[in-house]
PDB file of all heavy atoms in Angstrom:
ATOM      1  N   THR A 235      11.389  -8.336   6.319  1.00 97.00           N
ATOM      2  CA  THR A 235      10.402  -7.225   6.260  1.00 97.00           C
ATOM      3  C   THR A 235       8.972  -7.792   6.228  1.00 97.00           C
ATOM      4  O   THR A 235       8.063  -7.152   6.672  1.00 97.00           O
ATOM      5  CB  THR A 235      10.687  -6.390   5.024  1.00 97.00           C
ATOM      6  OG1 THR A 235      12.062  -6.185   4.897  1.00 97.00           O
ATOM      7  CG2 THR A 235       9.954  -5.080   5.086  1.00 97.00           C
ATOM      8  N   ALA A 236       8.777  -8.955   5.555  1.00 95.00           N
ATOM      9  CA  ALA A 236       7.422  -9.487   5.462  1.00 95.00           C
ATOM     10  C   ALA A 236       6.865  -9.797   6.879  1.00 95.00           C
ATOM     11  O   ALA A 236       5.721  -9.478   7.163  1.00 95.00           O
ATOM     12  CB  ALA A 236       7.419 -10.780   4.585  1.00 95.00           C
ATOM     13  N   GLU A 237       7.714 -10.376   7.731  1.00 96.00           N
ATOM     14  CA  GLU A 237       7.292 -10.659   9.098  1.00 96.00           C
ATOM     15  C   GLU A 237       7.076  -9.338   9.851  1.00 96.00           C
ATOM     16  O   GLU A 237       6.057  -9.174  10.589  1.00 96.00           O
ATOM     17  CB  GLU A 237       8.349 -11.457   9.851  1.00 96.00           C
ATOM     18  CG  GLU A 237       8.549 -12.838   9.277  1.00 96.00           C
ATOM     19  CD  GLU A 237       7.414 -13.745   9.588  1.00 96.00           C
ATOM     20  OE1 GLU A 237       7.093 -13.873  10.768  1.00 96.00           O
ATOM     21  OE2 GLU A 237       6.807 -14.326   8.646  1.00 96.00           O
ATOM     22  N   LEU A 238       7.919  -8.397   9.604  1.00 97.00           N
ATOM     23  CA  LEU A 238       7.837  -7.106  10.286  1.00 97.00           C
ATOM     24  C   LEU A 238       6.487  -6.439   9.901  1.00 97.00           C
ATOM     25  O   LEU A 238       5.785  -5.937  10.755  1.00 97.00           O
ATOM     26  CB  LEU A 238       9.003  -6.241   9.843  1.00 97.00           C
ATOM     27  CG  LEU A 238       9.130  -4.829  10.390  1.00 97.00           C
ATOM     28  CD1 LEU A 238      10.578  -4.474  10.613  1.00 97.00           C
ATOM     29  CD2 LEU A 238       8.523  -3.843   9.430  1.00 97.00           C
ATOM     30  N   ALA A 239       6.192  -6.465   8.559  1.00 98.00           N
ATOM     31  CA  ALA A 239       4.998  -5.785   8.089  1.00 98.00           C
ATOM     32  C   ALA A 239       3.758  -6.463   8.705  1.00 98.00           C
ATOM     33  O   ALA A 239       2.773  -5.800   9.101  1.00 98.00           O
ATOM     34  CB  ALA A 239       4.930  -5.856   6.594  1.00 98.00           C
ATOM     35  N   LYS A 240       3.822  -7.792   8.775  1.00 97.00           N
ATOM     36  CA  LYS A 240       2.662  -8.538   9.361  1.00 97.00           C
ATOM     37  C   LYS A 240       2.468  -8.022  10.792  1.00 97.00           C
ATOM     38  O   LYS A 240       1.320  -7.726  11.214  1.00 97.00           O
ATOM     39  CB  LYS A 240       2.935  -9.994   9.332  1.00 97.00           C
ATOM     40  CG  LYS A 240       1.745 -10.856   9.668  1.00 97.00           C
ATOM     41  CD  LYS A 240       1.871 -12.295   9.180  1.00 97.00           C
ATOM     42  CE  LYS A 240       2.978 -13.036   9.873  1.00 97.00           C
ATOM     43  NZ  LYS A 240       3.074 -14.436   9.508  1.00 97.00           N
ATOM     44  N   ALA A 241       3.565  -7.927  11.537  1.00 98.00           N
ATOM     45  CA  ALA A 241       3.447  -7.615  12.960  1.00 98.00           C
ATOM     46  C   ALA A 241       2.986  -6.174  13.153  1.00 98.00           C
ATOM     47  O   ALA A 241       2.120  -5.924  13.992  1.00 98.00           O
ATOM     48  CB  ALA A 241       4.785  -7.819  13.621  1.00 98.00           C
ATOM     49  N   ILE A 242       3.505  -5.214  12.353  1.00 98.00           N
ATOM     50  CA  ILE A 242       3.025  -3.835  12.602  1.00 98.00           C
ATOM     51  C   ILE A 242       1.645  -3.604  12.056  1.00 98.00           C
ATOM     52  O   ILE A 242       0.899  -2.772  12.542  1.00 98.00           O
ATOM     53  CB  ILE A 242       4.025  -2.750  12.132  1.00 98.00           C
ATOM     54  CG1 ILE A 242       4.208  -2.789  10.608  1.00 98.00           C
ATOM     55  CG2 ILE A 242       5.377  -2.825  12.842  1.00 98.00           C
ATOM     56  CD1 ILE A 242       5.096  -1.610  10.075  1.00 98.00           C
ATOM     57  N   GLY A 243       1.251  -4.398  11.003  1.00 97.00           N
ATOM     58  CA  GLY A 243      -0.012  -4.238  10.367  1.00 97.00           C
ATOM     59  C   GLY A 243      -1.164  -4.615  11.255  1.00 97.00           C
ATOM     60  O   GLY A 243      -2.308  -4.165  11.007  1.00 97.00           O
ATOM     61  N   TYR A 244      -0.952  -5.434  12.245  1.00 98.00           N
ATOM     62  CA  TYR A 244      -2.030  -5.796  13.139  1.00 98.00           C
ATOM     63  C   TYR A 244      -2.569  -4.601  13.962  1.00 98.00           C
ATOM     64  O   TYR A 244      -3.618  -4.607  14.490  1.00 98.00           O
ATOM     65  CB  TYR A 244      -1.554  -6.907  14.147  1.00 98.00           C
ATOM     66  CG  TYR A 244      -1.558  -8.297  13.536  1.00 98.00           C
ATOM     67  CD1 TYR A 244      -0.391  -9.099  13.541  1.00 98.00           C
ATOM     68  CD2 TYR A 244      -2.707  -8.789  12.909  1.00 98.00           C
ATOM     69  CE1 TYR A 244      -0.384 -10.312  12.985  1.00 98.00           C
ATOM     70  CE2 TYR A 244      -2.680 -10.067  12.363  1.00 98.00           C
ATOM     71  CZ  TYR A 244      -1.523 -10.821  12.377  1.00 98.00           C
ATOM     72  OH  TYR A 244      -1.531 -12.046  11.822  1.00 98.00           O
ATOM     73  N   ASP A 245      -1.696  -3.555  14.095  1.00 98.00           N
ATOM     74  CA  ASP A 245      -2.146  -2.387  14.761  1.00 98.00           C
ATOM     75  C   ASP A 245      -3.068  -1.617  13.809  1.00 98.00           C
ATOM     76  O   ASP A 245      -2.587  -1.161  12.755  1.00 98.00           O
ATOM     77  CB  ASP A 245      -0.900  -1.515  15.063  1.00 98.00           C
ATOM     78  CG  ASP A 245      -1.254  -0.263  15.843  1.00 98.00           C
ATOM     79  OD1 ASP A 245      -2.370   0.204  15.754  1.00 98.00           O
ATOM     80  OD2 ASP A 245      -0.320   0.263  16.546  1.00 98.00           O
ATOM     81  N   ASP A 246      -4.330  -1.479  14.192  1.00 96.00           N
ATOM     82  CA  ASP A 246      -5.236  -0.901  13.160  1.00 96.00           C
ATOM     83  C   ASP A 246      -4.993   0.625  12.947  1.00 96.00           C
ATOM     84  O   ASP A 246      -5.514   1.172  12.020  1.00 96.00           O
ATOM     85  CB  ASP A 246      -6.709  -1.173  13.457  1.00 96.00           C
ATOM     86  CG  ASP A 246      -7.198  -0.716  14.748  1.00 96.00           C
ATOM     87  OD1 ASP A 246      -6.482   0.120  15.402  1.00 96.00           O
ATOM     88  OD2 ASP A 246      -8.302  -1.136  15.213  1.00 96.00           O
TER      89      ASP A 246
END
Side-chain angles (χ1 to χ4, degrees):
T235 317
E237 295 288 306
L238 178 146
K240 190 161 65 175
I242 64 172
Y244 281 125
D245 182 337
D246 59 13

